[in-house]
Amino acid sequence: MSLILVLLLPLIAVLLSLLPLEKRFAPIITLTTQFTIFVLAVCMSLQVSTGRPVIALANWIELDGLSALVLLLVTFVGLTAALFSWGYIFAHEKVARRIRSYYAQFNLFVFALVAVPVLVEPAFVWIAVEFTAMFSVLLVAYGNTREALEAAWKYIVLMFIGAVIALLGFLILFWAQKNAGGGLYTWDGLRLSAKHMSPVLLKTAFLLILIGFGTKVGFVPLHTWLPDAHSQAPAPVCSLLSAVKTTVALYAILRLLPLLPAAPIDIWMQTIGLISVGVAAFLLLQVRDYKRLFAYSTVEHMGIIFVAAGMGGKAGSYGALMQMLSHGLTKSFCFLSTGAILLVFGTREIGKIRGLLRASPIAGVALLFGALAIGGAPPFAVFLSEFSIFRTGVAQHHYLVTALLIIFITVAFFGILRHVNQMVFGKVEQSATLVHGTIPFSCTLALALAAIPVIVFGVYEPAPLHKLLTLAVSNLTGGVSP
Amino acid sequence: MAYPEVLPWLQSLNALAGGFFLLCAFGLVAVRQAQNCLRLFIAQSLFLCLSAFMLGILLHSRDLIAVGVIDFISKPVIIPWLLRRTVGGEVHTRREITQVFNIPTSLLIALALTIGAYLFAMPLLQAGNAGKLIGSNLPIGLAGLLIGAFTVAVRREAVPMVFGLICMENSAFFAGIAIAPDFPLIAEVSIAFDVLILTFIVGLLTRAVHRQIGTTAVGALTTLREAEKL
């Protein structure tokens, strides 16, 4: 029942948000919904971590270790984004109709994001992943400027092309399973039939899904929508796009790994991942917009996760999943901090911002904290996951891959810190006009809430989370679902 | 099947529908007016429906007949109506629309893509022990998908780009009805719904772009073109 509620509540919130009532009604409904589904996700994840699966509709809506992990991430980021939206949207938007429209689309977007991990039928997962894009296009275009429309146009075109390519992949996968004697078309059903499937059909299906959903993940060279969309969308939407929308598409790709033979898929994955990390690391050196800076950092991190997953084995998968979780939590914090800066300075240009720490200590500290955390400095969560990936690389004798990864991550770290250093320290330029002197309380609260797991998971891994990660690893390496 | 003698006829009719389906994809690359793009798109969707009906009869699949009906309602009827409601007269414009390459070059590239699609499909057909039906639908679907992607890449106007996108989806379906006739019907309905959402959103965006820059030539939107270069 809880699992069905997690799916239904955002849909109900969509309808309620559209009611022409008091201006605060839609944000209250959204926040309540996000909080409720987060609590439900925590309860169900605790159950899954004890080895008892959550099955709402057998072979349709289920929750195993890997999907529980993704669901937790989605609902937590949804909660912080909803809380941040409260102050952010009221500060930017006065028209009640547009506020209602924002929250209705926000809830619709969260509904699609939640649907991806809880559905176990690949055809429906495809639809859910596609809906995550369709329901977020108008949020990207929310600014209604020439740039926002350009970003939204590029976004929808690339997302749809990717979706159609992936659809063909899923159709071929279905064909391969039918030729192998049939079976249930679910993640587990496919895993059981995989050894009887034609390798040519299986690899072709994987390749098409990789290209299709790779566009949604933002792998280079299919990443071009990502910096544009992130530079234009409202900050809480960026937080969802970057931290979870890319992650759920990656989740759908990773779900196919147990079906495939290790070679040559591992080499493909490591190569694609390394290209993404390398290109993004050098591109983020040159950005002039701080939201684009963090968008390139997302491309880099998606690459890191893919390299780790490509290393294979339990250690590689553990590193990949840790990185997926820590990146999602940290990146959502980073984008919320960019929203705080935008509230204060009203500009996205790095060159126009000096002395952020003096102009707004909260935004300054948040940006510095976010930059250090996402760059991989200790003692934050990303440091721990990246270190675990390096250790796996060395242990599995992937010396070249590990060395390149370390170089690219170091370049990215200095790239991020160079830009952030320029913005945070120094004196506020006299020509600069501050749009808002103070950051709304809900935004500060959202930043504080989002910072908690970034710090805690850097120094401590709670036992249920460790158990969940272990179960998720077994899902990735072909083990039986809990 | 009550009349086994009609089976070869139905197979031939399906292959013929495939040929016309591909021809419509070529037309989308070549025509000069948005109105003709719309007509070709409607024709292509009708050939897709025809193929779904033929395969439904040949494979005794009610799902495929249902897919044909859904496509018949959604694509030739609802999508043009949705576009007219959102984009307005731009759908029926008779003025010339520009594209990046000239028409002979575009057609040659489309031809190369078709040959590529056939070469790509051959090992799949062998691996899947495909019969005549899949043998005609899969390569045509792949070719249509590539030509649709090419149309999106070379067109600069919003409306022909949308038809390029839906041509891709039509093509994936054209292959899908042959290789996966038992694909869950509810998934097929959702995919059709997805295309309607795409059309609606693209229509809204096109109208907003028209308000901003006075034209639907989305190719003119280049402000965000990447500042960062390697």
Side-chain angles (χ1 to χ4, degrees):
Chain A
M1 188 59 196
S2 300
L3 208 46
I4 304 278
L5 269 182
V6 163
L7 274 175
L8 275 183
L9 285 177
L11 277 183
I12 296 169
V14 174
L15 299 175
L16 291 176
S17 304
L18 286 170
L19 293 177
L21 296 170
E22 211 263 326
K23 221 161 61 169
R24 289 178 193 277
F25 183 70
I28 290 172
I29 286 294
T30 305
L31 198 54
T32 315
T33 305
Q34 299 307 320
F35 179 74
T36 314
I37 64 171
F38 173 65
V39 172
L40 288 173
V42 170
C43 296
M44 286 186 292
S45 301
L46 284 171
Q47 184 186 325
V48 171
S49 72
T50 59
R52 286 179 297 140
V54 178
I55 300 172
L57 271 175
N59 301 320
W60 291 87
I61 302 173
E62 296 178 9
L63 203 66
D64 63 6
L66 183 53
S67 46
L69 199 67
V70 177
L71 182 67
L72 264 184
L73 181 64
V74 172
T75 51
F76 181 74
V77 175
L79 173 64
T80 54
L83 189 56
F84 195 88
S85 293
W86 187 300
Y88 187 86
I89 294 299
F90 278 137
H92 281 96
E93 190 60 66
K94 303 292 173 216
V95 183
R97 188 182 52 81
R98 275 179 58 81
I99 293 174
R100 286 199 299 271
S101 152
Y102 171 84
Y103 281 103
Q105 290 178 65
F106 183 97
N107 285 309
L108 209 51
F109 186 24
V110 171
F111 160 72
L113 289 167
V114 166
V116 177
V118 305
L119 293 170
V120 293
E121 235 264 20
F124 289 97
V125 173
W126 177 87
I127 293 161
V129 172
E130 171 58 2
F131 280 172
T132 61
M134 289 297 147
F135 294 154
S136 53
V137 176
L138 295 179
L139 287 172
V140 172
Y142 190 73
N144 210 14
T145 59
R146 187 184 169 123
E147 289 82 10
L149 292 172
E150 182 185 345
W153 186 266
K154 190 190 266 189
Y155 179 62
I156 194 168
V157 167
L158 280 172
M159 288 301 107
F160 193 75
I161 291 177
V164 173
I165 295 171
L167 173 65
L168 191 62
F170 281 113
L171 288 166
I172 292 177
L173 198 60
F174 189 89
W175 181 29
Q177 192 189 27
K178 200 180 155 201
N179 274 353
L184 279 174
Y185 192 51
T186 59
W187 296 127
D188 273 349
L190 282 169
R191 188 174 49 77
L192 292 172
S193 332
K195 54 179 176 288
H196 305 296
M197 290 188 203
S198 150
V200 176
L201 294 183
L202 199 52
K203 282 180 196 167
T204 308
F206 178 71
L207 190 68
L208 290 169
I209 295 167
L210 179 60
I211 296 170
F213 281 173
T215 313
K216 292 171 186 278
V217 173
F219 289 134
V220 173
L222 308 163
H223 68 288
T224 52
W225 65 271
L226 217 142
D228 290 354
H230 284 73
S231 68
Q232 300 304 316
V237 176
C238 292
S239 157
L240 282 169
L241 279 176
S242 205
V244 286
K245 192 208 163 291
T246 51
T247 305
V248 295
L250 187 65
Y251 158 85
I253 298 175
L254 295 181
R255 272 288 184 189
L256 297 172
L257 292 186
L259 316 184
L260 297 151
I265 306 295
D266 51 352
I267 304 290
W268 296 359
M269 291 173 70
Q270 288 175 25
T271 311
I272 292 169
L274 270 181
I275 291 171
S276 294
V277 181
V279 170
F282 286 99
L283 281 175
L284 61 76
L285 289 174
Q286 314 169 37
V287 291
R288 281 173 283 182
D289 173 331
Y290 53 82
K291 285 177 90 185
R292 291 179 82 91
L293 174 78
F294 287 119
Y296 280 117
S297 160
T298 300
V299 177
E300 179 216 348
H301 280 271
M302 289 298 125
I304 297 172
I305 298 168
F306 219 50
V307 171
M311 285 175 181
K314 288 193 171 171
S317 303
Y318 196 89
L321 293 174
M322 265 292 282
Q323 180 72 10
M324 192 165 90
L325 185 69
S326 56
H327 166 259
L329 295 167
T330 313
K331 190 53 65 66
S332 82
F333 178 87
C334 290
F335 273 109
L336 296 185
S337 75
T338 64
I341 303 165
L342 204 58
L343 279 172
V344 176
F345 275 91
T347 176
R348 293 190 306 268
E349 278 188 54
I350 294 171
K352 288 187 178 169
I353 299 174
R354 293 281 179 278
L356 183 62
L357 215 46
R358 292 184 190 200
S360 167
I362 293 174
V365 169
L367 182 66
L368 195 60
F369 175 92
L372 286 168
I374 202 69
F380 302 111
V382 171
F383 168 75
L384 212 62
S385 51
E386 284 180 353
F387 189 74
S388 130
I389 294 168
F390 298 153
R391 210 173 48 187
T392 307
V394 172
Q396 295 185 356
H397 312 294
H398 297 297
Y399 299 118
L400 181 64
V401 174
T402 313
L404 284 172
L405 207 54
I406 292 174
I407 293 169
F408 294 150
I409 289 174
T410 312
V411 171
F413 179 79
F414 283 107
I416 294 170
L417 263 288
R418 189 173 72 100
H419 293 303
V420 168
N421 182 40
Q422 274 178 26
M423 292 163 67
V424 170
F425 299 108
K427 286 183 180 170
V428 184
E429 282 180 7
Q430 285 188 337
S431 59
T433 45
L434 301 187
V435 181
H436 291 93
T438 54
I439 295 169
F441 176 70
S442 68
C443 296
T444 313
L445 194 64
L447 283 167
L449 187 64
I452 295 171
V454 179
I455 302 168
V456 171
F457 295 160
V459 289
Y460 169 67
E461 196 177 86
L465 180 69
H466 178 76
K467 191 78 184 44
L468 209 57
L469 278 164
T470 315
L471 288 168
V473 167
S474 96
N475 294 141
L476 267 193
T477 49
V480 182
S481 292
Chain B
M1 186 76 202
Y3 304 100
E5 61 274 17
V6 299
L7 285 181
W9 284 94
L10 290 178
Q11 281 181 1
S12 305
L13 203 56
N14 179 54
L16 191 68
F20 281 116
F21 180 92
L22 191 57
L23 212 58
C24 291
F26 270 84
L28 277 178
V29 179
V31 295
R32 289 173 186 273
Q33 294 174 350
Q35 193 183 33
N36 289 340
C37 281
L38 175 69
R39 285 176 183 156
L40 279 166
F41 158 72
I42 292 173
Q44 193 190 43
S45 304
L46 289 174
F47 288 122
L48 170 64
C49 298
L50 185 64
S51 182
F53 289 138
M54 295 300 115
L55 290 176
I57 297 167
L58 285 166
L59 302 171
H60 308 286
S61 166
R62 284 183 192 165
D63 282 10
L64 282 182
I65 305 276
V67 167
V69 173
I70 293 164
D71 269 1
F72 186 77
I73 298 167
S74 67
K75 284 170 183 160
V77 182
I78 301 180
I79 288 181
W81 174 79
L82 254 181
L83 280 174
R84 246 195 323 273
R85 295 278 300 181
T86 50
V87 186
E90 198 62 27
V91 182
H92 294 286
T93 183
R94 294 174 72 90
R95 69 182 166 79
E96 287 218 347
I97 45 176
T98 52
Q99 60 183 51
V100 177
F101 298 120
N102 62 32
I103 290 170
T105 314
S106 298
L107 282 174
L108 275 177
I109 294 172
L111 188 68
L113 290 173
T114 308
I115 295 168
Y118 269 81
L119 292 176
F120 184 76
M122 284 310 146
L124 298 183
L125 294 174
Q126 280 172 0
N129 298 321
K132 271 188 183 170
L133 295 177
I134 298 178
S136 69
N137 278 46
L138 180 64
I140 289 173
L142 276 172
L145 195 139
L146 292 176
I147 294 171
F150 177 65
T151 310
V152 177
V154 294
R155 295 287 191 182
R156 288 165 179 271
E157 302 257 351
V159 174
M161 276 174 91
V162 177
F163 291 133
L165 286 174
I166 308 178
C167 168
M168 288 182 74
E169 195 268 346
N170 267 351
S171 307
F173 248 89
F174 195 79
I177 52 174
I179 61 175
D182 311 327
F183 207 61
L185 183 64
I186 187 165
E188 311 247 21
V189 175
S190 310
I191 295 166
F193 181 59
D194 179 56
V195 177
L196 294 182
I197 297 177
L198 169 90
T199 313
F200 178 67
I201 293 174
V202 162
L204 290 182
L205 282 179
T206 308
R207 196 162 63 178
V209 169
H210 193 274
R211 256 191 237 127
Q212 281 277 343
I213 62 172
T215 159
T216 56
V218 284
L221 293 170
T222 53
T223 324
L224 289 174
R225 196 155 281 182
E226 279 188 67
E228 306 85 27
K229 292 251 182 325
L230 266 181

